[in-house]
Amino acid sequence: MGRRFGILTSGGDCPGLNAVIRGAVLKGETVYGHTYVGFRDGWRGLVYGDILELDRTTVRGLSNQGGTILGTSRFGPYSEPDGGPENIKKVLADLDLQVVIAIGGDGTAAAANRLFNDGINIVGVPKTIDNDLDATDYTFGFNTAVEIATEAIDRLRTTGNSHKRCMVLEVMGRHAGWIALHSGIAGGAHAILIPEHPESLDQICAWVTSVKNRGRAPMVVVAEGFTLPDMKEAYSEKGLDGFNRPRLGGIAEVLAPLIESRTGIETRATVLGHIQRGGVPSAWDRVLATRMGGAVADLVADNGWGHLVALHGTQMARITFDEALGKLKQVRPEYYDEMRVIFG
Ligand code: F6P
């Protein structure tokens, strides 16, 4: 008789989550005879036993849908007063579930590892729009975000050209500037500012001025986690999120008036925000997410508790939570410099 597993999506959403759920359910049901349920709203659904049944019909046509049909939250499994391993073991036993599949980022993997060490059968699927997990070469959702940000650059350029303005586009990227770098390269930005590499205002203004001097409208792309040399931390004025991290966003609004007053060039800021996390996943992300779903069905069939699936090169791989945790994949200086030499 096949076993019964519970899937949850935790942390910030991103395009491709539904394709993972579909991939896992289809392969698990078809190849292994497993049955699945989904926990609603991340760890909260696990702690309170709030589930929905998942089968072939529930996941039909899901791979092109953004968001997550399960809902998500930044609620931790050890949250008081009802969280913790003993309660979770009881919930799983009451629901006749043997395993938890947690789809999420670094915070989710850390919580999953703690539950694993507390005796719960749990596996993971890495997820972040920022593409900053060292465990995997790519996370689904990143490609879609780059497409959306690139389209935003293309659109901002035409209005920037009309008015001969400097346009500053802010994209996501807390610790790593992958979305900024890749969309900036694709969109032909004149300066790309990322968290890994502080740049002085003098340097940014020099690039902007040289673009303007040759008759072009300067296009600057900045990641939300970018800091000027005199900033102690990334710009945040919206308090903390559910995982106690500062809510980022707004560095473009800081930069635009500074650039304008230094250079005399009229400058406008656009913060792309959650637009880049919503909507249909790109074909590339659908493929990766579907493969990750299938790979996690294989993982649970092999009793691979304490592991995450990952993409290494073109192959699906498995690594332990311990190996994956806390290791950021940031933009290497050589890669950034490859592009920086043509800024301005
Ligand atoms: O961690 C992924 C991420 O998209 C970051 O780039 C961003 O800072 C954060 O999530 C936004 O989170 P929220 O959706 O909770 O505002």
Side-chain angles (χ1 to χ4, degrees), residues 233-246:
E233 50 203 29
Y235 185 77
S236 165
E237 52 163 24
K238 298 177 205 136
L240 302 178
D241 68 15
F243 289 163
N244 275 332
R245 305 178 313 170

Side-chain angles (χ1 to χ4, degrees), residues 2 13 29 64 80 95 125 166 168 219 303 309:
D13 74 336
E29 213 178 273
N64 68 355
E80 300 287 350
L95 294 169
V125 178
C166 171
V168 181
M219 180 74 229
N303 298 338
V309 296

